[in-house]
């Protein structure tokens, strides 16, 4: 769950719950969208609320360090290039 794939899965599932709940227009739908905010924000802020249940820390970075997942800190596979390293377009 602390890997890049796990974080994306949590955020997409949370977003689906939020959109589905809001689109229903009912009181239960609003409650469902509030519940969906939990995995959405947990994935976005890199926290794993179930970590302590398995004897792991809450912070995703600490979990990855403890289990040996190196290089999966960002949500995107490759960090963006610095502005000085980007190729320039000539017209």
């Amino acid at each position: 769950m602390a890997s890049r794939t796990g974080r994306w899965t949590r955020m997409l599932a949370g977003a689906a719950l939020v959109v589905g709940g809001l689109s229903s227009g009912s009181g239960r739908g609003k409650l469902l969208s509030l519940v969906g905010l939990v995995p959405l924000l947990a994935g976005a802020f890199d926290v794993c609320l179930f970590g302590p249940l398995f004897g792991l820390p809450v912070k995703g970075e600490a979990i990855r360090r403890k289990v040996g997942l190196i290089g999966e800190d960002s949500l995107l596979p490759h960090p963006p290039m610095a502005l000085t390293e980007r190729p320039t377009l000539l017209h």
Side-chain angles (χ1 to χ4, degrees), residues 48-89:
C48 187
L49 300 175
F50 292 117
L53 293 174
F54 300 103
L56 295 170
V58 174
K59 296 288 291 172
E61 181 183 358
I63 294 172
R64 286 188 296 277
R65 190 177 24 230
K66 190 169 185 174
V67 298
L69 285 173
I70 306 299
E72 290 204 17
D73 290 340
S74 69
L75 283 173
L76 300 174
H78 302 287
M81 295 169 59
L83 288 176
T84 57
E85 296 177 7
R86 292 184 184 175
T88 57
L89 296 175

Side-chain angles (χ1 to χ4, degrees), residues 1 7 10 38-39 41-50 58-61 63:
M1 291 305 283
R7 289 177 65 193
R10 286 186 285 155
V38 174
L41 295 175
F45 290 117
D46 197 15
V47 293
C48 187
L49 300 175
F50 292 117
V58 174
K59 296 288 291 172
E61 181 183 358
I63 294 172

Side-chain angles (χ1 to χ4, degrees), residues 10-32:
R10 286 186 285 155
M11 289 190 312
L12 291 174
L17 288 172
V18 169
V19 170
L22 289 177
S23 67
S24 74
S26 67
R28 287 185 179 178
K30 290 179 183 177
L31 181 63
L32 183 64

